[in-house]
Structure formats: structure tokens, C-alpha cells
Amino acid sequence: MKNNHPNMTTLRIMEGNRLAYYQEAATSDYWTEHWKKINPNPRMPWAEAGNLLRLSYIFQRYLPKKGKIIEAGCGMGGYVLALQKNGYDIEGVDYSSETISTTLSIYPDLPVRVGDVTALDVPDEYYSGYISLGVVEHRHEGPEPFFKEGYRVLTNDGIGLISVPHMNSLRKIKAKIGLFKGEIGNKEFYQFAYDDDEFTELLQ
């Protein structure tokens, strides 16, 4: 992922079992600018065609066709639109009001709205499916508030699909030989990459 400020390089350092990235904080303003750069033209032809891209197999295998689904942290709403085209009853929430406004200016009927995914405005056990792609890793204190709210709004047999950066074998080797070091300086926390065992334990 590119930084908004080209002169700000990303620093990666180990914090316990997690690989921490420092560059610019993942604030609402950050994501507003990020999505503008990713897709200056807010139309999403791939989503209009119902293309689920690299997550097609995962979504089609695990997401329930019955019941409501939420993408918690939907960005521009591309997956909301694509999944809707595939027959899912889905809505999206994101905290970048400008991004949501831009999306609704192109797709006024798309069920996306501004909100806080750690405090969703729905009753308990409201959703059959919960999607979170690259969201929970951006809280330095840990992902627990996201998990607790996701658990609250899911039905007892609901499915949660959550992705985060992975502390994979190559990164573990680099950490072991001391490659992830440096001074934070004026950089701000951006995200963690998680080890399998720790992330599983946090979810449980």
C-alpha cells in the first residue's frame, strides 16, 4: 500500500509477536485520500459486473445466501456492490463520510452508510455474515473492540470473514535475523501483521 506522502517511508519493527508498521495513522482522512488515489473515477465496472476478484472462492463457499450481511469497513463499497449483484443481501459501513458520499453520488441505491464498526446501529444477532477486510489491524491497542461488536451483531450460527496482514514464514525469518529495526521518529502507527496463533487466540 502506498503512503499518501511520498517522502514518508514505512518503518517495520517487531512488537512482541506482531510486526508493526509505522508511517501515517489510518485515520478517516487517510482513507478518504487513499480511496481517491486507488480509484480517481469512482465507477467500479468490476463490481457492476459482479466480479468478486480474488475473494470469489472464499465468499461463495462461506457467506450465507440467507440473511443479512455486513461489510464492516467497506471503503468505496466495491464488494458490497459485487456481492449484491451475486444475490447477497448485503450492506456496508465505513467511517470516511467523503468516501461514502462519493460512492452514493454514483450508486445512489447502494446500501452503504457512514458509521463506527465498533458501535453498529443494529440489534444483537442482526447479521448472518460479517466481512472485515484489512480493518482490525489498524488499532494499536488491539482488535478486540472490532471482534466484540462483530460477535454481538452476528447470529449464533453466523459466519465472520476477517482478513489482516500475515506474519508469514518469510517475515518471521527476517525478524529472527534482525531486519525489522529502526527509530519511529515522527512516524505514526499504521497497522500490525499478525501471527496465526495469536490472531486465532484473539478471535477465540
Side-chain angles (χ1 to χ4, degrees):
M1 184 178 293
K2 294 180 180 178
N3 301 329
N4 283 339
H5 302 301
N7 294 327
M8 180 175 284
T9 57
T10 300
L11 170 69
R12 294 182 293 172
I13 60 174
M14 292 301 299
E15 295 184 5
N17 293 326
R18 305 174 187 179
L19 180 60
Y21 293 64
Y22 284 85
Q23 52 175 60
E24 178 182 2
T27 62
S28 174
D29 289 342
Y30 172 89
W31 289 113
T32 297
E33 294 305 313
H34 169 80
W35 291 117
K36 284 180 182 178
K37 289 186 176 185
I38 290 291
N39 191 12
N41 176 357
R43 290 212 79 91
M44 297 177 283
W46 61 274
E48 292 173 9
N51 188 342
L52 298 173
L53 307 177
R54 60 188 177 85
L55 294 177
S56 177
Y57 173 77
I58 298 293
F59 285 150
Q60 292 179 346
R61 178 173 180 179
Y62 293 107
L63 276 184
K65 278 284 190 177
K66 292 184 179 179
K68 296 189 75 66
I69 296 168
I70 183 172
E71 184 179 3
C74 65
M76 294 190 68
Y79 279 122
V80 175
L81 179 56
L83 284 163
Q84 189 182 65
K85 296 291 185 180
N86 280 272
Y88 292 91
D89 183 6
I90 183 167
E91 58 191 33
V93 173
D94 198 273
Y95 76 156
S96 172
S97 57
E98 187 174 335
T99 298
I100 293 294
S101 294
T102 299
T103 296
L104 290 174
S105 72
I106 303 296
Y107 306 103
D109 297 324
L110 192 66
V112 295
R113 65 184 187 277
V114 178
D116 178 358
V117 299
T118 66
L120 293 164
D121 55 348
V122 297
D124 294 353
E125 299 186 27
Y126 187 75
Y127 297 108
S128 297
Y130 177 96
I131 302 169
S132 173
L133 306 175
V135 175
V136 307
E137 68 269 22
H138 294 293
R139 184 175 185 268
H140 190 255
E141 296 83 359
E144 290 86 350
F146 299 101
F147 292 165
K148 287 178 180 178
E149 186 66 349
Y151 185 80
R152 180 187 75 81
V153 301
L154 270 176
T155 58
N156 286 334
D157 58 351
I159 298 294
L161 298 177
I162 301 172
S163 73
V164 294
H166 185 207
M167 188 62 185
N168 56 30
S169 298
L170 179 58
R171 287 172 175 156
K172 287 179 180 179
I173 292 170
K174 288 182 176 181
K176 191 172 183 178
I177 63 177
L179 294 184
F180 297 134
K181 293 181 178 179
E183 295 295 327
I184 295 173
N186 65 346
K187 295 180 173 63
E188 301 169 296
F189 174 77
Y190 177 67
Q191 69 178 13
F192 282 124
Y194 282 93
D195 168 83
D196 289 357
D197 292 338
E198 181 187 15
F199 199 71
T200 299
E201 184 178 343
L202 286 167
L203 281 168
Q204 290 173 342

